[in-house]
Every structure is written in C-alpha cells, then in structure tokens.
Amino acid sequence: MNAVAGARPDAAAVAAAARPTDLPADPSDPSDGPAARAADALARAAAALPVRAWVEHHMGMPWSVHVRGDAAHDPRTAATVERAFARVAALDAELSPFRAGSALNRLRRGELALADAPDALRAVHARCLAARDATDGAFDAWGWRDGFDPTGLSKGWSVDHVLGLLGVLDADVAVGAGGDVGVRSASGLPWRVGVEDPADRGRLLAHVDLLDGGVATSGTAAHGGHVVDPRTGGPVWGVRSATVVAADVVTADVWATTAMVLGPGDAPARLAALPGTRGVLVTADGAVHRWATP
Amino acid sequence: MRRILLSIVTTVSGVVLLLQYPTSLDRSAGTTDVTAAGTTTTGTTGGAPSAGSSAGSDPAASASASSSGSSGASGTSDGSSSGSSAGSSGGASDGSSGGSSAGTGLTDGRYTASTSMRYGTVSVTVTVSGGRVTAASGSQDSQDGHSRQVSSAALPTLDDEATTAGGASIAMVSHATFTSEAYARSLQAALDQARP
C-alpha cells in the first residue's frame, strides 16, 4: 500500500493512487467502481477456498454439486453428496413424465390420488398451482401438454430440495442442474454464478454474486422455442433469454419461463416489479435489460 | 485453515483499504475516512451459527476446534498516511478433535470505508458477525444529492467474455436447458473438471 504507518507517504505514490484510472468510467453504472471491486474481492476470496465438484447425470441432464470450504475434500462430504444424488434418482422415479410407472404418470392416469402421492409430487403440484396464480396464467402446468405436466417446475424443485439436503454440510454448497443453479453459503462469501450468452454458448453474458438463492435461465438458445405460450399453444420467440435470480430456484424458474411467455413488450417491466429478484433479459433484437429489485 | 483465514482477512482489509486512497494531497479537495466499528473478539468456534447446519446428522458438520484469532482491519486515516492495519494472530487450535474451525478469526463489527470522488461520495460497508462476513454493500451519493443504494451484488454485471476478472472466479453457469450430450461442450463442464 502507500506507506508504512507513521511515515510520510511518497507524494508520487499517493498521486498515482488517486489517478482517475481508479475511478469508475461511468458513475451511473454500479457494475464499475468501488462497489464492484469490493464484490470482486469477495468473489476472489471465495474462489480461493478449497472446492470440490461432483457431476452425475439424472433426469436427462447433468447435475453438478460444488462444495466449498474445509469440508470439501472430507470423505464424509463425498458420502453426503452421494446420498443427495441418490435422492435425485429417487425423485426422477417419482416425477418423470417419461417413465410409465412414475407417480406423476399414475396421477395423470387417475391410478393415484393426489392425497396418496409422494410428498415431492404433492409439493410440486402445490407450487404449480401457486405459480399459475402468481403469473396470471402465464406459467401453467396444465396448459401446454395434455393434462398436468409439471416438468417445467420439477427440476427447479429438485435442485432446491437437494440444496436443502446438503445443508447438513458445514460448507458452501452450489447445485446446478441443466442450467438451474441453487447456492447456499455458510462462510458468508458469495458464489459467483455466470449467465450464458444466448448468442454464443461458449461465452458469458453476465454474472451475479449470490449467498443463498436460485438462478434460472429460460431461453431459445438450446432448444429452439421450447417454451410454449399456454394462451396460444405456440412457441414463443420474442425473448431470446431470460435469467432470474430469486430466493429459490423454483421462483427463479417460474419467472424466467414467464418472461418468455410475456414477450419483449411486457416482460422487462413485469419482472422488474418483482420484489426480491434481479436478472437479465435478452430480447430477440439483441437488447439487454437488467434489473435488481430489493 | 490458516490460508482461508488469511485470505478472508486480506479480503476484508482489501475492501477497507480499497477506498482509503486519498483522492488528493490537498485535503480540501477530497477527504478519506475509514472507520472500523469492530468491538469484540469472539473466538468463534465450529459451533457458531452456521446457517442450517446445526442438525448434526452428518458427522462432517460436528467438527469443532476453538479458534481464538484476533484480526481484522481497523484504523483511521487522516488522508495523508495509511493508518490501517490488518493482521492475524492467535488462531490457536486445541487440536483435540482434529476438526477444523468454522470461525474465521475476523473481529465482529461493521467496517465502513468511504471516499469522496469527483462525482460524489462512495462508501463500502462490510459486516462481520460470528467471525464471518455476513454482508458487504456499497452506497453512492451522486452529485445531485440523491443517495443510491448499490448493493455489491445487485445488478447483474455484464461481462465482456468468460476470461474477464469476473469470469475467473465463476463456479456455476446458468443457461437454458440442454441435454447431457450438450453438457460435454459447455462452460459448466469445464468448471466442473477444474475442481476434482
């Protein structure tokens, strides 16, 4: 730093420290400047902690679990992660729309009453009802394929569930599944989550720092038009990519999907009005909208 | 553990020192104030309030060793010399459990650094509670007098490319759903492989 305490600082050193290059280029942009540099310092400190990653494929997608902290390389941590993956496999057997014998399909065929369904399926069903209400029908698990299909919500719910299971670890934990990310921090240091650029999957569009919560992205980049507007039955195209950060992955997922349905005209204002969220929207014309609402 | 402790201490002191630069040799043109409101040294142990991990069903969560470190960033600056010091001491472990301490050795308190710049006053506050950094935020008073709260983690930060400074510390990537086949070519796969 500039001087040993008590010594007269070297004038040139102080002048160098005060040079305008240290100042934000644009005072109105909080992504540059001292607050951003403080965030960078925290993220770098977090990245310096011991970390271990595990990957398994479940529900037709990769699941990544990262554990950060002293416990990262503890064999007991590995055992806990293994149990969490086993739970994902069990959830898939209950919630899969592709397995004829899943609880979901038995419910859809009327062979299983909701009251008798496994806890996970009943919880997902309840979140689907709540999401349909909250989004005024834009997110509708009953509106896009024949009957009740909560596939759009099951993955996020499973990520939240697994993150909760891994809460027994005295460590920072991040869970990613097919682009949904849930994190929790025991150290107080953030996880830095990148947002893929929908125009170039090898690049990042943005990043967010997060202690506890979920990040979800919906988009047309990977599967052209995989989000269906329940009001028209057709694919939606106007929003290229929507990333939402919220208190949990389900909430983030529901609103990322909803942004696609609402389209470029309504989505930016609707999402920016949601308390406790932030995110990035990229519309088909390439425009990037960001928001952060306390 | 010592490495972690040092890295966190370095971070907090870095945050405080970050804004300690005098903006000018002439104090009338810019003032720098750094205040440290740390009050107690807690010597937090592994049983500290680590959110959600007290259920103890997993043995990994029960390791405990005392850490009596006293460290942190503190001091005041008169704008012409660095009055801040950061260091770590203690950190003694009883070694009996063989476990690691969850305490970071940071001194509880709120540390605020502010500085006047051409466009207004910017301050960053770091809160340490239970030996952990629990919050870091910044605020900016713009020249027009409107105070704007800018959380250190508020607006998503736009990146130029994956290899920017921001990218270097990224752990996970959020993206539209893709298949397991596509995963092999993804950024997330690269990040996973880097952390065996």
Side-chain angles (χ1 to χ4, degrees):
Chain A
M1 278 300 159
N2 49 7
V4 177
R8 186 75 189 159
D10 176 67
V14 173
R19 200 166 286 160
T21 52
D22 264 8
L23 301 177
D26 175 5
S28 69
D29 184 358
S31 71
D32 194 5
R37 281 185 287 165
D40 284 345
L42 291 174
R44 277 197 301 273
L49 295 174
V51 63
R52 187 173 173 195
W54 290 261
V55 183
E56 289 193 7
H57 292 262
H58 294 282
M59 302 182 176
M61 65 190 84
W63 284 67
S64 306
V65 172
H66 291 209
V67 176
R68 196 174 71 186
D70 282 352
H73 295 281
D74 189 320
R76 291 169 296 188
T77 297
T80 302
V81 172
E82 194 175 326
R83 286 196 296 276
F85 278 131
R87 179 66 181 138
V88 176
L91 287 172
D92 189 27
E94 294 176 4
L95 302 173
S96 172
F98 306 113
R99 298 176 183 219
S102 69
L104 170 64
N105 278 328
R106 289 193 290 133
L107 176 74
R108 284 159 52 90
R109 291 193 298 263
E111 300 164 14
L112 179 68
L114 184 62
D116 299 327
D119 289 350
L121 181 53
R122 284 189 290 120
V124 166
H125 186 273
R127 292 298 291 267
C128 285
L129 283 175
R132 189 171 61 176
D133 280 354
T135 64
D136 299 318
F139 184 99
D140 188 350
W142 289 264
W144 68 292
R145 278 211 284 241
D146 187 33
F148 174 55
D149 189 342
T151 307
L153 195 138
S154 296
K155 175 180 65 167
W157 187 90
S158 300
V159 173
D160 284 333
H161 182 75
V162 166
L163 195 61
L165 294 178
L166 294 172
V168 299
L169 298 172
D170 185 16
D172 302 343
V173 180
V175 178
D180 281 357
V181 178
V183 305
R184 59 192 304 156
S185 172
S187 68
L189 291 169
W191 286 97
R192 179 158 282 189
V193 180
V195 177
E196 190 179 276
D197 185 345
D200 181 351
R201 288 203 30 227
R203 295 163 69 107
L204 295 180
L205 173 71
H207 66 261
V208 292
D209 292 328
L210 187 59
L211 287 170
D212 293 278
V215 186
T217 298
S218 191
T220 53
H223 294 297
H226 87 290
V227 173
V228 173
D229 185 343
R231 298 169 300 195
T232 65
V236 291
W237 293 106
V239 177
R240 192 185 291 172
S241 167
T243 298
V244 178
V245 183
D248 58 61
V249 177
V250 167
T251 305
D253 222 340
V254 163
W255 285 105
T257 304
T258 298
M260 303 295 293
V261 172
L262 292 179
D266 297 335
R270 182 73 183 93
L271 269 65
L274 291 173
T277 69
R278 50 201 165 110
V280 192
L281 286 177
V282 182
T283 49
D285 59 4
V288 177
H289 303 263
R290 290 181 292 163
W291 81 96
T293 307
Chain B
M1 189 58 215
R2 175 58 57 91
R3 192 163 64 85
I4 298 167
L5 188 150
L6 286 175
S7 93
I8 294 174
V9 166
T10 304
T11 299
V12 172
S13 58
V15 167
V16 173
L17 288 170
L18 195 63
L19 296 172
Q20 204 177 357
Y21 291 119
T23 52
S24 166
L25 283 172
D26 178 1
R27 293 200 61 200
S28 65
T31 60
T32 301
D33 296 299
V34 176
T35 58
T39 51
T40 58
T41 302
T42 57
T44 311
T45 68
S50 50
S53 62
S54 60
S57 63
D58 188 283
S62 63
S64 174
S66 70
S67 169
S68 58
S70 168
S71 61
S74 63
T76 59
S77 169
D78 64 4
S80 63
S81 69
S82 171
S84 176
S85 63
S88 66
S89 61
S93 168
D94 62 14
S96 61
S97 68
S100 59
S101 170
T104 60
L106 296 174
T107 303
D108 283 5
R110 290 181 49 159
Y111 301 87
T112 298
S114 62
T115 189
S116 296
M117 293 181 172
R118 286 178 302 183
Y119 54 83
T121 301
V122 173
S123 65
V124 171
T125 300
V126 174
T127 304
V128 178
S129 177
R132 297 162 187 265
V133 176
T134 56
S137 62
S139 67
Q140 178 179 322
D141 290 322
S142 59
Q143 271 177 334
D144 60 10
H146 293 287
S147 178
R148 193 158 49 91
Q149 205 52 41
V150 281
S151 164
S152 63
L155 271 186
T157 304
L158 295 180
D159 289 328
D160 288 336
E161 49 185 306
T163 52
T164 60
S169 35
I170 280 168
M172 305 291 264
V173 176
S174 179
H175 52 77
T177 307
F178 55 57
T179 61
S180 290
E181 291 72 33
Y183 165 77
R185 303 187 301 273
S186 70
L187 284 175
Q188 186 65 57
L191 292 168
D192 293 340
Q193 284 159 17
R195 295 165 173 83

